[in-house]
Amino acid sequence: MSTVFNFTFVPWFRSVAPYIHMHRGKTFVVGLTGEAIAAGKLQNIAQDLALIQSMGVKVVLVHGFRPQVNEQLRAKGHEARYSHGLRITDEVALDSAQEAAGQLRYEIEAAFSQGLPNTPMAGSTVRMISGNFITARPVGVIDGVDFKHSGLVRKVDSAGILHTLDFGAMVLMSPFGFSPTGEAFNLTMEEVATSVAISIQADKLIFLTEVPGIRVDSELPESEDNPIDTELPLDAARKLLTTLPPAQRPTDTAFYLQHCVKACEAGVERSHILPFSVDGSLLLEVYVHDGIGTMVVDEKLESLREATADDIGGILQLIEPFERDGTLVKRSRTEIERDISQYSVIEHDGVIFGCAALYPYPESRTAEMAALTVSPHSQSQGDGERILKRVEQRAKALGLDSIFVLTTRTMHWFIKRGFVPVDPDWLPEARKRKYNWDRKSQVLVKKLK
Ligand SMILES: CC(C)(COP(=O)(O)OP(=O)(O)OC[C@H]1O[C@@H](n2cnc3c(N)ncnc32)[C@H](O)[C@@H]1OP(=O)(O)O)[C@@H](O)C(=O)NCCC(=O)NCCS
């Protein structure tokens, strides 16, 4: 029994280690929708966030309260009123919002204070600190509609938030802000979370929402052929926003996406849209290679792009030492010139320090990823993985079901990233004819759907 346990637990725990190291000391802003709390997910989310914090991540938690405010309004015999996708906050709605926020804060603080033995919270001590970190201004009157006490973020006290995080506390924020005259304004959780992430230049902005993420084809319903797009480059996210109808409700695809794009454009490298309906979605997104929701990522920072003819010299220089020691199969300059459009590269200050090529076999709905290389000076910083993800995206865009690699020395790197070994007979016919049986390369396949 214990041997089986060692076999499964130890390799599994070690496989998470790179992600624990990677996120230690980083700052995440988490936007938790009121819907998630209404759906009874608070306890589990609090457990996951406490665990994430204990692994060295600094956390700002911003809660929403849409359904709770509506409930308070209903109890007072009033209906929620919206215009332009925003709540119209009259006196009754402001009262309801204040009551809902008070109640929710109490519930959240209670959830983070648990420590019962034999639960994931045993031994955890999460200190939560809230405060008047947001200065707000009124939305005002738009197209003749007076939004009254609905506000927008005017300023974030980033120094105050950072100081609190450095103190080891989790910052808890409600969607409220105050004007310099002391007037309270009802804000949206999404705007508060985005503004805070930008102002403290957080490493991640994460929305825990009722949407599962952005589907590969946002027009069609989710299906096996239309899965969640786990990584959306900023450019593609921007393009998608221009084709979508303007967001009116949180369940509209554009709703969270526009905030993710805004954060990314303002220097927050990664923004995530995750479903709260999946238990542990935060852990799955942050500590597992493929994640579960959609991550909008600004690749500009890493200069990951498709190759052009100008990159041929750089690619040759990069792969040549690995060809010499037999890690990679030799490729001639003519071959690389011919195939240059199949390559993706990472470039920094004009130097190519990573590359991979994708050779599709459309008749078999698969493609080979070849010549994956990262310069020895830049290895172990996640660039290999970033190139792999890019190549996966290119293959998905071609409508392929899988990618495969042939390797003699890098098997474990691929297995850790979701590839499985198969017999060389699996290869598409055209590729099998070129397979070098003497080299005895291992064939590994990764499913994309
Ligand atoms: C494989 C390669 C592309 C990975 O690039 P990278 O940028 O270092 O990758 P990442 O940063 O995403 O991952 C690094 C991790 O992979 C591990 N790794 C590197 N090479 C490995 C190998 N051959 N087998 C198993 N793990 C390996 C590193 O030890 C590191 O682990 P750590 O974070 O626990 O230290 C790079 O090592 C390389 O260029 N190797 C030579 C060429 C090659 O073998 N290409 C594959 C051809 S099929």
Side-chain angles (χ1 to χ4, degrees), residues 17-18 21 318 322 325 327-328 355 369-376 378-387 405-414 416-417 439:
H21 297 313
L318 174 69
F322 295 106
D325 77 4
T327 311
L328 296 179
C355 74
M369 179 171 70
L372 170 68
T373 315
V374 171
S375 148
S378 330
Q379 285 180 7
S380 286
Q381 292 169 28
D383 287 327
E385 193 153 325
R386 278 193 275 275
I387 303 175
V405 291
L406 271 70
T407 180
T408 49
R409 304 186 192 179
T410 321
M411 241 178 102
H412 288 120
W413 191 88
F414 289 111
K416 227 165 140 180
R417 285 150 185 89
R439 196 170 148 83

Side-chain angles (χ1 to χ4, degrees), residues 273-328:
I273 302 170
L274 302 186
F276 62 69
S277 58
V278 177
D279 186 23
S281 56
L282 266 170
L283 299 178
L284 285 167
E285 181 75 2
V286 176
Y287 295 102
V288 177
H289 173 250
D290 280 331
I292 182 175
T294 295
M295 171 170 80
V296 177
V297 57
D298 184 3
E299 286 177 342
K300 216 170 49 257
L301 301 168
E302 294 138 15
S303 311
L304 182 55
R305 58 174 173 78
E306 315 313 0
T308 69
D310 292 339
D311 301 319
I312 294 166
I315 293 175
L316 277 166
Q317 225 172 20
L318 174 69
I319 62 179
E320 200 269 336
F322 295 106
E323 291 178 344
R324 232 181 311 128
D325 77 4
T327 311
L328 296 179

Side-chain angles (χ1 to χ4, degrees), residues 127-149:
R127 185 178 286 135
M128 303 205 92
I129 296 186
S130 308
N132 55 344
F133 297 117
I134 304 281
T135 308
R137 65 182 170 81
V139 171
V141 180
I142 303 175
D143 302 331
V145 180
D146 185 352
F147 283 84
K148 301 187 174 165
H149 300 283

Side-chain angles (χ1 to χ4, degrees), residues 208-278:
L208 270 168
T209 74
E210 52 279 72
V211 266
I214 310 293
R215 294 183 299 274
V216 170
D217 186 337
S218 60
E219 308 267 297
L220 296 175
E222 190 177 358
S223 70
E224 259 197 19
D225 294 330
N226 191 25
I228 295 301
D229 205 346
T230 50
E231 194 170 325
L232 202 55
L234 179 56
D235 270 351
R238 269 199 210 108
K239 235 177 261 157
L240 181 59
L241 269 183
T242 62
T243 64
L244 293 171
Q248 294 295 334
R249 289 182 310 273
T251 41
D252 293 340
T253 305
F255 190 81
Y256 296 103
L257 192 59
Q258 66 198 15
H259 291 93
C260 290
V261 165
K262 186 174 170 200
C264 256
E265 284 177 337
V268 179
E269 206 175 314
R270 294 184 160 135
S271 306
H272 305 246
I273 302 170
L274 302 186
F276 62 69
S277 58
V278 177

Side-chain angles (χ1 to χ4, degrees), residues 375-401:
S375 148
H377 312 294
S378 330
Q379 285 180 7
S380 286
Q381 292 169 28
D383 287 327
E385 193 153 325
R386 278 193 275 275
I387 303 175
L388 166 63
K389 285 208 164 166
R390 177 62 161 235
V391 170
E392 284 176 12
Q393 272 164 16
R394 286 185 82 170
K396 271 189 203 163
L398 293 172
L400 303 176
D401 297 337

